[in-house]
Amino acid sequence: MTEDCIFCKIVEGKIPSAKLYEDGDCIAFLDISPAVKGHTLVVPKKHHETLLDITEEGLKALMIKVRSIAKSIVDATSAEGFNLLQNNKKIAGQMIPHIHFHIIPRYPGDGQDFSWKHVKYGEGEMEEYKNSIKKRL
Ligand code: 5GP
Ligand code: ZN
C-alpha cells in the first residue's frame, strides 16, 4: 500500500470498484471512465509504478491473468476484438502511477480511434536507432 495511490486504495477496498476478478496477486475492475463499455483495468496488488519496475515473475503472472480476463470480456460483450494498452509515465498518458493494463473491447461503431500520427526517419537514423537499442538488449 502506497499512501495516496488510488489503485492501492482500490486493492485495499478503501475505494469501491466494480470488481470483476481478484486473487492473491492481482485485481481487475471496470474503468470508471471507459473508452468503450466493458473497458477493464488489470492491476497487480503490489505497488510498482511502471512496467520497468515490476518483477519478471510478477509480470508473467499478471499477463496470464490479462489474457484470461480479456477472453472473458470478449465472450461477455461479443466484441470483435480488443486493445491492450499500458501507459508508462505521465508523458505517455499514465495518470495513475501504479502499473496497470487496460483491456478495451472493440465493437463496430464504438467511436474510438487509437491511431497515431506517423513520423519519418531521416537518412541513416533508423540504423542508428536500431543499433543503439540493440546493443542494450
Ligand atoms: P492511465 O492513464 O494511468 O493509464 O489510466 C488510468 C485509468 O484509471 C483511467 O482510464 C481512469 O478512467 C481510471 N480511473 C481513475 N480513477 C479511477 C477510480 O477511482 N476507479 C476506477 N474504476 N477507475 C479509475
Ligand atoms: Zn499503488
Side-chain angles (χ1 to χ4, degrees):
M1 167 80 181
T2 294
E3 290 272 314
D4 297 330
C5 172
I6 290 173
F7 288 175
C8 280
K9 285 181 182 158
I10 289 176
V11 166
E12 296 281 309
K14 291 179 177 156
I15 293 178
S17 68
K19 201 192 299 178
L20 302 172
Y21 176 82
E22 180 173 16
D23 63 21
D25 303 316
C26 78
I27 183 168
F29 51 88
L30 293 179
D31 194 298
I32 204 163
S33 182
V36 175
K37 289 174 189 171
H39 180 165
T40 295
L41 302 173
V42 186
V43 180
K45 287 191 163 176
K46 204 161 170 219
H47 182 96
H48 299 285
E49 183 180 354
T50 74
L51 187 72
L52 302 185
D53 304 312
I54 190 170
T55 63
E56 282 194 0
E57 221 168 62
L59 182 61
K60 279 181 201 163
L62 190 65
M63 284 311 298
I64 287 165
K65 291 300 164 197
V66 164
R67 187 171 74 158
S68 117
I69 293 162
K71 188 176 183 313
S72 300
I73 293 168
V74 167
D75 287 350
T77 61
S78 305
E80 277 190 15
F82 65 96
N83 289 101
L84 182 62
L85 296 180
Q86 199 273 311
N87 301 321
N88 296 281
K89 298 282 189 186
K90 205 170 174 186
I91 185 77
Q94 184 177 16
M95 293 187 296
I96 310 288
H98 179 140
I99 182 181
H100 53 280
F101 284 86
H102 297 253
I103 302 168
I104 305 175
R106 301 302 305 273
Y107 320 101
D110 62 24
Q112 285 298 343
D113 179 3
F114 291 103
S115 62
W116 48 74
K117 281 178 265 167
H118 294 267
V119 297
K120 287 193 189 314
Y121 286 109
E123 182 71 29
E125 217 181 359
M126 196 175 189
E127 189 70 9
E128 282 171 25
Y129 272 82
K130 186 193 82 179
N131 292 336
S132 170
I133 296 166
K134 210 172 153 183
K135 76 179 179 202
R136 289 171 171 83
L137 285 171

